Amino acid sequence: MSEDTLRLRAVRADGTERAAPPAVEPAARRDAFFDNAKYLAIVLVAIGHSWEPLRDGSRAASALYMVVYAFHMPAFIVVSGYFSRSFDASPGRIKRLVTGLVVPYVVFETAYTLFTRWTDQEPDRPVSLLDPLYLTWFLIALFIWRLTTPIWQRVRWPLPVALVIAMLATLSPSVGNDLDLQRTLQFLPYFVVGLLLRPEHFRLVRRRAARILAVPVFAGALAVAYWAVPRMSGAWFYHRDSAEELAAPSWYGPVMTLVTFGCSLVLVACFLAWVPGRRTWFTVLGAGTLYGYLLHGFVAQGSKFWGWYEPAWVHRPPGELLVTVGAAVLVTVLCTPPVRRVFRWVMEPDMAWAFRRDAREQARERNAVRA
């Protein structure tokens, strides 16, 4: 509830003013379960990036990497879709869409380009806002998905339609890299699933029976991934290439879209089954996951340039464990309130100067003043 609404409710019918109830802080309205889920998902994203250089010569590391990549971004996207259900393209929501996604996209796309000119030794790499670099694809994808939310809420069969779009995208390498549209289309069904979910669906996967069942499911997924490592490319779970670009027959694309979608949804459900619903020490960090997501990428990119993975001991179990813990600690620190305060000016800018005042908001303020 907005402060303006609370202020209006503080006026009696006879025009006299009474004490209004204190406004509820946003943090108090947040659901601990979803903040926990977002934090744990972003930790897995950072860990997955830290494992990437460890895969060479390690079948076990490659299997773990494949399993994590099968569900960490789908989980993040499903939750993003769930919280996009109320998007109605109103002026206030459009403003938040621009300030919360478009502005960070422009800033971090530029920053990553300049940074990787140095780390990748490509001084002429152009700054292109049409070709998302590294992690920035998610910002532009979420922007597109959220803008299309009213469409998915109106069509009769949103999930089948989204799956058909994703399947068709795998048939066409000409979709290209503009706005990372290939990945945006292939991940679209997960966002639509989030739009279709209701609170009772999350309560279903959080039952004790679901938590117990998740254990053998994850164990089975690891076993299958270990078997699959030398037999298939884990790039299918990246959803960024067509079948042709993965050196596979065209018909593989639609089939693998359905297979990976089914596998990923099962693992997402298992992941959510393990997420605690109570407030924990990391619940508050769930509000800063976008900070952790975008900022940890500079360390992930720089670690290779700085030679952190060159010592042989890093590729042994103790070194792999240290890398895993280090990635988790890093992204945790980057989600903390002090870091968010430092970078809020770019991640959540106010930019009131850039937008016209909403007529309804102005009318509410005038009515409040008259009262």
Side-chain angles (χ1 to χ4, degrees):
M1 188 181 298
S2 69
E3 291 183 6
D4 289 338
T5 305
L6 290 171
R7 204 175 294 119
L8 288 174
R9 288 188 176 184
V11 180
R12 292 192 178 95
D14 62 2
T16 61
E17 188 171 340
R18 61 178 173 82
V24 180
E25 290 296 326
R29 297 199 303 265
R30 298 183 69 95
D31 190 316
F33 170 75
F34 290 107
D35 276 337
N36 293 340
K38 289 193 292 183
Y39 166 74
L40 294 173
I42 208 65
V43 167
L44 289 173
V45 169
I47 288 175
H49 290 148
S50 73
W51 284 349
E52 187 174 347
L54 301 175
R55 292 177 298 158
D56 293 340
S58 175
R59 187 172 177 179
S62 297
L64 285 168
Y65 181 86
M66 185 182 292
V67 171
V68 167
Y69 265 78
F71 75 91
H72 70 2
M73 283 310 297
F76 213 84
I77 293 168
V78 166
V79 172
S80 297
Y82 179 75
F83 282 101
S84 298
R85 294 173 303 155
S86 61
F87 182 82
D88 56 3
S90 63
R93 296 191 185 278
I94 291 294
K95 175 185 174 183
R96 286 192 290 273
L97 198 63
V98 172
T99 58
L101 292 176
V102 176
V103 172
Y105 172 73
V106 172
V107 172
F108 279 89
E109 176 67 17
T110 303
Y112 273 126
T113 301
L114 298 178
F115 186 71
T116 55
R117 282 181 180 179
W118 172 52
T119 58
D120 293 348
Q121 301 294 295
E122 292 186 27
D124 297 326
R125 173 172 285 171
V127 176
S128 173
L129 298 181
L130 295 178
D131 187 7
L133 181 64
Y134 197 36
L135 303 176
T136 58
W137 73 269
F138 179 71
L139 296 177
I140 202 64
L142 185 56
F143 175 77
I144 294 171
W145 295 330
R146 202 160 272 173
L147 275 182
T148 61
T149 292
I151 297 175
W152 301 112
Q153 292 176 328
R154 294 296 299 171
V155 299
R156 191 179 297 273
W157 303 289
L159 184 56
V161 171
L163 279 170
V164 168
I165 291 174
M167 293 162 68
L168 292 176
T170 65
L171 298 175
S172 176
S174 62
V175 170
N177 295 323
D178 288 350
L179 299 180
D180 222 339
L181 196 56
Q182 182 69 257
R183 186 147 42 182
T184 300
L185 296 178
Q186 289 194 39
F187 271 119
L188 173 63
Y190 301 99
F191 182 80
V192 174
V193 165
L195 290 175
L196 298 176
L197 291 178
R198 296 296 178 264
E200 55 267 26
H201 297 130
F202 291 97
R203 287 195 293 268
L204 187 65
V205 300
R206 292 168 60 188
R207 296 186 303 175
R208 184 171 183 272
R211 290 197 297 271
I212 294 173
L213 184 60
V215 176
V217 170
F218 263 118
L222 282 171
V224 171
Y226 190 82
W227 170 86
V229 164
R231 294 174 173 84
M232 68 167 280
S233 171
W236 288 105
F237 290 108
Y238 300 160
H239 297 292
R240 67 185 180 197
D241 300 301
S242 66
E244 181 180 320
E245 290 169 313
L246 293 175
S250 295
W251 63 270
Y252 269 44
V255 171
M256 289 301 292
T257 297
L258 293 177
V259 170
T260 56
F261 180 73
C263 293
S264 295
L265 276 193
V266 170
L267 293 178
V268 167
C270 292
F271 165 73
L272 293 174
W274 287 353
V275 172
R278 66 187 185 282
R279 289 194 65 82
T280 67
W281 65 267
F282 55 78
T283 301
V284 67
L285 304 179
T289 50
L290 192 60
Y291 290 77
Y293 176 78
L294 290 172
L295 294 172
H296 91 276
F298 292 101
V299 179
Q301 285 288 307
S303 62
K304 304 166 192 174
F305 176 75
W306 297 320
W308 290 1
Y309 289 91
E310 292 178 2
W313 65 268
V314 174
H315 297 265
R316 301 190 185 106
E320 293 169 343
L321 179 61
L322 180 62
V323 167
T324 302
V325 173
V329 170
L330 171 68
V331 79
T332 296
V333 171
L334 294 177
C335 292
T336 56
V339 174
R340 288 162 53 196
R341 283 194 292 269
V342 170
F343 289 96
R344 183 169 285 125
W345 64 276
V346 65
M347 300 289 289
E348 302 175 77
D350 181 69
M351 293 183 63
W353 54 269
F355 299 90
R356 290 184 295 181
R357 299 285 300 279
D358 182 11
R360 287 176 296 181
E361 181 182 347
Q362 291 177 326
R364 284 198 300 268
E365 290 183 357
R366 285 195 297 268
N367 291 336
V369 170
R370 293 194 189 102

